[in-house]
């Protein structure tokens, strides 16, 4: 690690193979916390390259506990986190709404590092037991239309740096990696990024792969469609800026999607929305994200049609029932 750190301190970049090798060594717990913190800090001080991100991703995918869910045509809906906006759990709620429409969801997630409540915090608060048993995950998909892939159960490298990440309490390149390394390799993905540069890197990496994807970045900094302003959308068909008004939606205030100051606060909001008692702003944000997720799976579907499907899932309490089924299995 010393040689790698000296190289990085001289403003040099890692090749794809070097990046892969160093992350494999990190996963093997070859380095102490000081080395890990120094290594992660480098990529907070300058942009990560496509080769570096690709190399790190290749290492995690090579080392991960893989599960084969390919027969279900799943979608993952996940953001990088690290946007500092402290919203409620939009991507997780969106996942349950999408599952409530009948679409299979393989949600990849983790505990929060830089916000109050991550997807794993939320699922754990509802009593969900994390597992990497493929048989159990398939049962969840068949009976609840959704399964949850808790990152530390699948990624030894994530586990090796978890204490350092928690101590730093800042977004690191691991935030950028999470959405790219779902161990089930779903064929459909809606990914959110905390900055435009990461969105472009994702697009560069994913555009040659045999998957359907949408990458979103709200221009005011959210790693999801926030309806607080316009957002950039990348797909295999190109890129575009979309404003709430283009979708027939009202712009909302940041305070309207605040997630509270604790996991308990976030869980209360989560339950309220699933009960059909969310505010208009809360509902429209999750429904809009759900509609774009459904459009990724079927690009012939109009936004209006997808939005109506999502509404039926939410207000028909199918999304709520999906959560209840998942936790009860």
């Amino acid at each position: 690690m010393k040689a790698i750190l000296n190289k990085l301190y001289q403003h040099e970049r890692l090749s794809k193979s070097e990046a892969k090798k160093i992350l494999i060594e990190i996963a093997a717990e070859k380095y102490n916390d000081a080395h890990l913190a120094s290594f992660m800090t480098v990529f907070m001080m300058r942009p990560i390259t496509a080769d570096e991100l690709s190399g790190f991703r290749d290492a995690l995918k090579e080392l991960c506990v893989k599960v084969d869910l390919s027969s279900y045509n799943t979608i993952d809906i996940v953001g990088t986190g690290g946007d500092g906006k402290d919203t409620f759990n939009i991507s997780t709620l969106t996942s349950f709404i999408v599952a409530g429409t009948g679409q299979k969801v393989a949600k990849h997630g983790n505990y929060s590092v830089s916000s109050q409540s991550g997807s794993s915090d939320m699922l754990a608060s509802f009593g969900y037991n994390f597992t990497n048993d493929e048989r159990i995950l398939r049962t969840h998909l068949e009976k609840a239309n959704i399964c949850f892939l808790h990152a530390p159960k699948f990624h030894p490298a994530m586990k090796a740096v978890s204490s350092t990440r928690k101590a730093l309490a800042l977004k690191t390149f691991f935030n950028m990696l999470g959405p790219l390394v779902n161990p089930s390799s779903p064929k459909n993905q809606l990914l959110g990024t905390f900055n435009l540069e990461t969105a472009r890197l994702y697009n560069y990496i994913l555009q040659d792969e045999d998957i359907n994807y949408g990458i979103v970045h709200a221009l005011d900094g959210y790693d999801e469609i926030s309806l607080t302003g316009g957002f950039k959308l990348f797909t295999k068909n190109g890129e575009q800026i979309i404003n709430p008004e283009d979708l027939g939606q009202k712009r909302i205030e940041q305070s309207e999607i605040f997630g509270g100051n604790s996991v308990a606060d976030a869980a209360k909001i989560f339950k309220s929305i699933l009960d059909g008692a969310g505010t208009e702003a809360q509902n429209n944000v999750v429904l809009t994200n759900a509609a774009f997720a459904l459009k990724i799976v079927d690009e012939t579907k109009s936004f209006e049609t997808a939005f109506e499907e999502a509404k039926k899932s939410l207000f028909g309490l199918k999304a709520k029932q999906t959560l209840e089924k998942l936790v009860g299995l």
Side-chain angles (χ1 to χ4, degrees):
M1 176 65 86
K2 187 175 180 181
I4 288 289
L5 288 175
N6 280 328
K7 177 175 180 173
L8 293 172
Y9 294 158
Q10 296 300 315
H11 308 288
E12 295 182 46
R13 273 41 176 173
L14 300 179
S15 68
K16 187 175 179 178
S17 60
E18 285 175 323
K20 180 179 178 180
K21 180 175 181 290
I22 193 71
L23 209 63
I24 287 173
E25 291 174 349
I26 286 172
E29 300 185 1
K30 289 189 175 182
Y31 307 114
N32 61 39
D33 287 346
H35 282 147
L36 295 177
S38 296
F39 185 70
M40 286 186 254
T41 302
V42 168
F43 301 99
M44 299 180 206
M45 299 176 70
R46 59 94 164 156
I48 194 169
T49 68
D51 278 347
E52 288 166 339
L53 189 61
S54 293
F56 294 150
R57 181 198 187 205
D58 287 351
L60 286 184
K61 295 204 81 170
E62 180 178 305
L63 293 168
C64 78
V65 177
K66 297 175 182 65
V67 289
D68 182 8
L69 307 175
S70 57
S71 59
Y72 297 100
N73 191 35
T74 59
I75 185 169
D76 188 11
I77 303 158
V78 60
T80 54
D83 62 11
K85 299 294 189 179
D86 291 325
T87 60
F88 64 89
N89 297 75
I90 292 172
S91 65
T92 311
L93 263 161
T94 298
S95 297
F96 282 100
I97 292 170
V98 170
T101 71
Q103 169 61 44
K104 305 293 187 185
V105 178
K107 173 86 175 94
H108 189 219
N110 205 346
Y111 294 122
S112 172
V113 172
S114 52
S115 64
Q116 294 297 333
S117 176
S119 54
S120 291
D121 299 289
M122 190 55 50
L123 269 292
S125 77
F126 294 138
Y128 179 75
N129 294 313
F130 302 130
T131 181
N132 60 13
D133 187 317
E134 184 176 309
R135 180 185 57 81
I136 295 173
L137 294 169
R138 283 174 169 268
T139 298
H140 291 176
L141 277 174
E142 289 167 6
K143 295 188 175 181
N145 290 331
I146 188 170
C147 66
F148 186 76
L149 309 173
H150 176 56
K153 285 279 186 183
F154 296 87
H155 295 291
M158 295 280 199
K159 185 178 180 182
V161 299
S162 60
S163 62
T164 308
R165 290 180 71 199
K166 198 71 178 176
L168 285 172
L170 297 165
K171 63 176 177 283
T172 68
F173 67 82
F174 282 97
N175 288 83
M176 300 168 69
L177 277 170
L180 293 174
V181 293
N182 185 313
S184 68
S185 299
K187 289 298 183 183
N188 308 279
Q189 293 183 286
L190 176 60
L191 309 175
T193 70
F194 60 79
N195 65 24
L196 196 54
E197 182 178 23
T198 303
R200 290 188 175 119
L201 281 172
Y202 278 17
N203 190 50
Y204 179 83
I205 291 170
L206 296 177
Q207 62 187 348
D208 294 325
E209 298 190 4
D210 184 25
I211 62 171
N212 303 314
Y213 69 85
I215 303 161
V216 297
H217 169 66
L219 298 180
D220 54 353
Y222 292 85
D223 68 334
E224 54 224 341
I225 301 169
S226 63
L227 298 183
T228 54
F231 64 94
K232 194 75 173 278
L233 172 68
F234 295 83
T235 68
K236 281 193 173 178
N237 298 322
E239 57 186 84
Q240 57 184 314
I241 293 176
I242 301 173
N243 293 301
E245 297 81 5
D246 302 329
L247 305 171
Q249 297 292 322
K250 299 176 185 175
R251 292 192 182 222
I252 64 174
E253 297 297 322
Q254 181 171 343
S255 59
E256 295 182 275
I257 51 176
F258 177 61
N261 297 306
S262 66
V263 174
D265 288 348
K268 186 177 180 181
I269 294 169
F270 199 103
K271 288 179 178 177
S272 174
I273 294 170
L274 283 186
D275 284 339
T279 66
E280 182 181 12
Q282 289 170 339
N283 292 336
N284 284 340
V285 165
V286 291
L287 291 172
T288 299
N289 281 273
F292 273 89
L294 292 169
K295 277 177 57 60
I296 287 166
V297 179
D298 180 3
E299 65 178 9
T300 66
K301 192 172 288 185
S302 70
F303 172 79
E304 291 75 17
T305 297
F307 192 86
E308 286 303 312
E309 288 180 14
K311 280 178 68 175
K312 289 177 183 176
S313 172
L314 179 59
F315 297 121
L317 301 184
K318 292 178 181 177
K320 178 184 179 181
Q321 292 160 12
T322 294
L323 174 61
E324 290 171 347
K325 285 179 186 176
L326 181 66
V327 173
L329 289 171

